[in-house]
Amino acid sequence: MQYSVFRKTSLAVGIAFACTYALTACTDASDSQYASQESQRSNEIWPYIESPVGLNDELEARITELMDSMTLEQKIAQMIQPEIRDITVEDMRKYGFGSYLNGGGSFPNNDKYATPEDWIALAEAMYEASIDDSLDGSSIPTMWGTDAVHGHNNVIGATIFPHNIGLGAANNPALIEEIAAVTAREVMVTGIDWVFAPTVAVAKNLRWGRTYESYSENPAIVRDYAASIVTGLQGEVGKDFLDDQRVISTVKHFVGDGGTTDGIDQGDTVVDEQALFDVHAQGYVGGLGAGAQTVMATFNSWNGEKIHGSHYLLTEVLKEKMGFDGLVVGDWNGHGQIPGCTNDNCPQAANAGLDIFMVPTDAWQPLYYNLIDQVREGIIPQERVDDAVRRILRVKMRAGLFDKPSPANRPLAGRTELIGAAEHRAVARDAVRQSLVLLKNNDQLLPLNPQQRILVAGEAADHIGQQSGGWTISWQGTGNSNEDFPGGTSIYQGIADQVEAAGGSIELAADGQFNERPDVAIVVFGEQPYAEGNGDIANLDFQRGNAIDLALLHSLREQGIPVVSLFISGRPMWVNPELNASDAFMAVWLPGSEGQGVADVILRDAEGNVQFDVTGRLPFSWPATPNAEETLLQLGMGMSYGDADILDGALPEDMGSELETEALVVFERAVQQPWLLELSSGDARSIVASSVQALRTIRTETFDDRVQEDARRVYFSGEEEAGFSLVTPFPRDLRAYDTEVSALSVTLKTERTVPDNVQLNLYCGENCNVSTNIAAELAELPENEWQTLNFSLSCLQEAGFNLAQVGSAFGLSTESAWQVSFNDIRFVPEVAEGADNICISN
C-alpha cells in the first residue's frame, strides 16, 4: 500500500510535534521532507507515495491464478458489502460476499448486549459459509468490517478511548499508536478482521457534527497521527504487519469531508485542488505512507461532484498519481447519492473506481444482479471489475486471510479477559489525562485539595454515556446507562474514589442542591451525544436558550462557592457566559469510559502534591462569537498549573454580530438534501426515489408548474390512513431563529374538497412530535390555487416542537380520499410583510 514518500516517518513526526502544534517554520521543515525525492515525480500537487508493503510477484501470481478460475458472479460478490441486519448465513453461503459490516448500533442477533462469544459465533458462521463452495462454487474467505473508532465501541465492556479531538489535544503520536494497538487486540478477540479507522478529516467548520472525529484543524497533525494509528492497527511492515494481533485499517473519508460549506455533513467542499491536497489530503500522505490497506470514499462532493462518482479523484489521483494499490470501499450507500444512481443501481461508482459497494438494507441483492448485467452489457468494463477484485484479493492475502485459521480459532479469539482489560483501561486513563485542556484557573484554584468538602454537580457528572459521546454502543451514543459500561468509571466516580481515599468528603447533586455546604463545587456539563449529521448545528452558542447549566454556575457563585467547570463537548463552543461564571474551566472533550483520568489531573494527592500536570493544548481554535467570526483562543493554546491566565478578565456575553438565519429550504423544485420525502400507509413506510411512486393507498408524482417537474402532487385513496412527510436522517438545529417572527412556510394547492381531518405532522426526536388537525385552515383556501401558509415557530414550539432537533419539516396525513400539491417548503427567519402567521396547538 503506501509508506511515506520517503521512509523516515519517525523523523518527520518528531519534527512536527517537537514544534508544539507545528508552528509555521517547523511545519514547513516537516512538509518539505514529505514532499521531497520521488513525491513530486508524477504530479505537481499529488505525490506518489512509496509503500512499505510493495507489490509481491509471487502474491500477484497467486491472485491471477485464483481470478482465472472465478466467474463473473463470484467477482461481483467480492464487490458487495452488506450489513449483518440484512443478510443471513445462508445468504453468505449462496453468494459468497467479499465482505460484510456491522453499522453503528448493529449487533449479532440484533442484541445490544451480545457477548464477545456472540460476536465470535457470527464471525465464525459467516467465515465458514463464505469458504463453503457447495452453492456458489467459491471458497474465498470473507472479511468483517466494523467502526471501531475510539476503541471497540460497539461491544459492551470494551475500553472506550477519548474521541479524536481529545487525542489531538494530547499531541502525542506514540500514545495514538498504543491506543490503536489496544483497539486491534480487542477487535481481534471478537473475530473481526477490518476496522473503519482512522478518520483523517481536517475539520474547518466547528458546526460540523463530526468535528470530534477530527484530530485537529492543523493538517500536519492529522498527517502524523494517521501514520501512527495505521501502524498501531496494522503493525509495522517487516515486523508484525497484519499478524494475529493486528487488523486491516481504513483511512477515511477520501477526501475533503471536513471542509464542506457551513460544516454541513455530506455537503460540498468548495476549494481548489491545491487546497484539497494541502489541507484535506494530508492524512492520506501519512496513512498510506504507513501502509494502510484500504481507503473509504467520502459522502461529500468536491466542487459539486459527488466523490463516490469521481473517476478523477478515486482513480486518477488516489490509485494512479498517489500509487495506492489497496482497495477503495464506499460509505453507507454513498453510491446512491451520485446523480442518476440509486442504492441498488449505480454503475457510475464502479466505473469511477469504487472497489467495494457498502450497501446496507435489502438493496444489496438488486445491486448485485444489476452489476452483473451491466458488465455483460458493457456498461462496466470487465477490466474495471478485474481491477477491483484484484485489489480486494490483494488485501485479503496480505492480511493472511487465506492462511489464518477461522475466526474462532485464531490466537486472540475468545480471550474475553482482553475486552476492557486493566492494562487497556490504563492506556485509556492516561489518554484522558493527556487530553485535558485548561482554559481558566483563577488564583490557581486547580488542582484541588482532595481533603476538602467537594460538591459534584451537573447532569453529566455521573453519566458515562454522555462523557463518551457518539459512536458508543449505539450509533448516536444515546440510550445508554452506566450499567452499559461494565468496568467503566464516570467523572464523578473517579473524583469520589480519590476524595474518599484521601479523607475528604464528597456529595453528588446534579441540580447543585447540596445537603452540606461545600468548600468547592465541580460542575460537569456539556453536549449530549450525537454522530455525523445529527450533530450539525447552526451556530456555536452552547446554551442556545437553555441556560440550565449557566443558572447552576451562577447559583453556586452567588453563594460564594468556588466553581470548577468541566466542559464535555465534541468541539470548541461559544461559552463566554459559562467561562465568566467559573473560577476554573477545563475542556475535557469526550473522554470515554475512564473518567478517573480527569480526577488524576484536577485533584492533588493526599499529601498535597500535583499528581499530573495539565499538558493538553487546543487542537482547534476556540471561538469568541457563536458564528466563530473571531477567535478567543488560538490553536495550541492552553495552560499548565502555575501558568499565567490566558483570558483577559470578563468576556463579552453578547452574541457579537447578529446570527445569520437564512431561510432553510426543504423543497424547492425538488426535495433538497439532506431532506427526504417519505410516504406512509398504515404501518408501511418508504422513501420516494423516483418521480412517480406509490405505497399501498398513497401515490405521489412530479409535475410541471413553472419549470420542468418543479412540483409534487399527492393522492390519498382513503382506504386507510396514509401520509407524507419531509424527513431528514440528520435532525436540524433551528434554535437560531427568532421564533416570534419566523415560520414554517409551505406553498400548496388543494385540489379536492378538504376532508374533515387532515393532520399536520412534525417530528423532533424520541417522544417529541406535533400532530394537529389543520383541516379548517386548509378548507379556507381557494381550491386549485397556490397559497402560502406560514406556521408560526413560536406556536409550534409552544405545542411541543423542539427546534433543536427538527427531524421532519412538514407532513400531512388523512384517512380520507384527497389530493394536494406543493411546490415550496422552507423555514423562513421572518414572514413577509402583510402575511399572516397560523398559530396551531397540539
Side-chain angles (χ1 to χ4, degrees), residues 507-519:
E507 181 178 353
L508 174 66
D511 61 2
Q513 299 300 309
F514 49 81
N515 294 315
E516 184 178 5
R517 179 182 174 84
D519 297 314

Side-chain angles (χ1 to χ4, degrees), residues 262 274 379 413 580 588 644 730 832:
D262 296 329
Q274 189 68 58
I379 298 171
N580 287 338
V588 301
F730 308 130

Side-chain angles (χ1 to χ4, degrees), residues 227-246:
S228 293
I229 196 167
V230 167
T231 300
L233 289 171
Q234 294 189 164
E236 186 177 342
V237 176
K239 182 180 177 182
D240 56 357
F241 183 69
L242 290 174
D243 69 6
D244 292 328
Q245 298 197 36
R246 305 292 180 167

Side-chain angles (χ1 to χ4, degrees), residues 409-472:
N409 294 294
R410 294 171 188 166
L412 296 187
R415 290 187 55 186
T416 56
E417 71 275 11
L418 293 177
I419 300 290
E423 61 269 27
H424 295 175
R425 294 187 183 278
V427 175
R429 181 173 180 170
D430 186 37
V432 174
R433 296 183 197 120
Q434 296 189 43
S435 71
L436 307 177
V437 181
L438 184 61
L439 303 184
K440 183 176 182 180
N441 196 20
N442 284 357
D443 301 321
Q444 297 300 312
L445 176 61
L446 291 175
L448 299 174
N449 176 0
Q451 296 172 331
Q452 303 179 86
R453 290 189 300 273
I454 298 177
L455 170 70
V456 180
E459 294 294 335
D462 194 27
H463 198 319
I464 304 175
Q466 187 170 349
Q467 74 190 39
S468 297
W471 290 108
T472 305

Side-chain angles (χ1 to χ4, degrees), residues 645-691:
D645 292 338
I646 56 176
L647 295 174
D648 297 326
L651 301 171
E653 297 189 12
D654 62 278
M655 294 285 192
S657 62
E658 184 177 346
L659 296 180
E660 184 179 353
T661 50
E662 296 179 350
L664 175 62
V665 179
V666 179
F667 186 97
E668 183 181 44
R669 298 189 181 183
V671 179
Q672 300 297 304
Q673 290 185 348
W675 302 95
L676 303 166
L677 178 60
E678 181 183 68
L679 302 181
S680 64
S681 184
D683 59 0
R685 279 178 163 72
S686 69
I687 298 297
V688 174
S690 61
S691 58

Side-chain angles (χ1 to χ4, degrees), residues 199-203 208 213-216 222 252-253 257-258 280 284:
T199 297
V200 296
V202 176
W208 187 37
E213 296 185 59
S214 176
Y215 296 112
S216 176
V222 175
K252 67 180 187 182
H253 307 85
D257 46 346
H280 299 289
Y284 302 92

Side-chain angles (χ1 to χ4, degrees), residues 70 73-82 87 91-93 95-101 126-127 130-131 136 138-145 193-194 248 327 329 355-357 359 364 368 388-389 392-393 395-396 401-402:
M70 294 174 68
E73 289 79 3
Q74 291 167 348
K75 290 178 178 179
I76 295 299
Q78 290 297 306
M79 300 174 67
I80 299 292
Q81 184 181 88
I87 58 168
D91 289 329
M92 180 64 77
R93 197 182 318 278
Y95 292 94
F97 306 114
S99 59
Y100 62 104
L101 82 149
M126 288 293 190
Y127 174 90
S130 72
I131 64 171
D136 66 342
S138 172
S139 57
I140 299 172
T142 191
M143 53 185 176
W144 182 346
D193 316 282
W194 183 7
I248 301 164
L327 68 85
V329 61
D355 300 314
I356 294 179
F357 288 79
V359 57
W364 66 262
Y368 168 78
V389 175
I392 295 165
L393 296 178
V395 171
K396 290 184 176 185
L401 298 186
F402 285 84

Side-chain angles (χ1 to χ4, degrees), residues 582-642:
S582 306
D583 296 287
F585 191 102
M586 181 174 282
V588 301
W589 313 111
L590 300 168
S593 61
E594 307 311 300
Q596 66 271 57
V598 177
D600 292 341
V601 176
I602 68 169
L603 297 177
R604 296 179 182 272
D605 65 18
E607 285 71 45
N609 301 310
V610 174
Q611 299 187 80
F612 294 90
D613 202 353
V614 190
T615 58
R617 297 296 182 260
L618 289 177
F620 292 88
S621 302
W622 200 280
T625 63
N627 276 338
E629 296 170 332
E630 300 175 24
T631 297
L632 179 66
L633 297 170
Q634 297 288 342
L635 169 77
M637 293 186 73
M639 302 166 62
S640 295
Y641 292 140

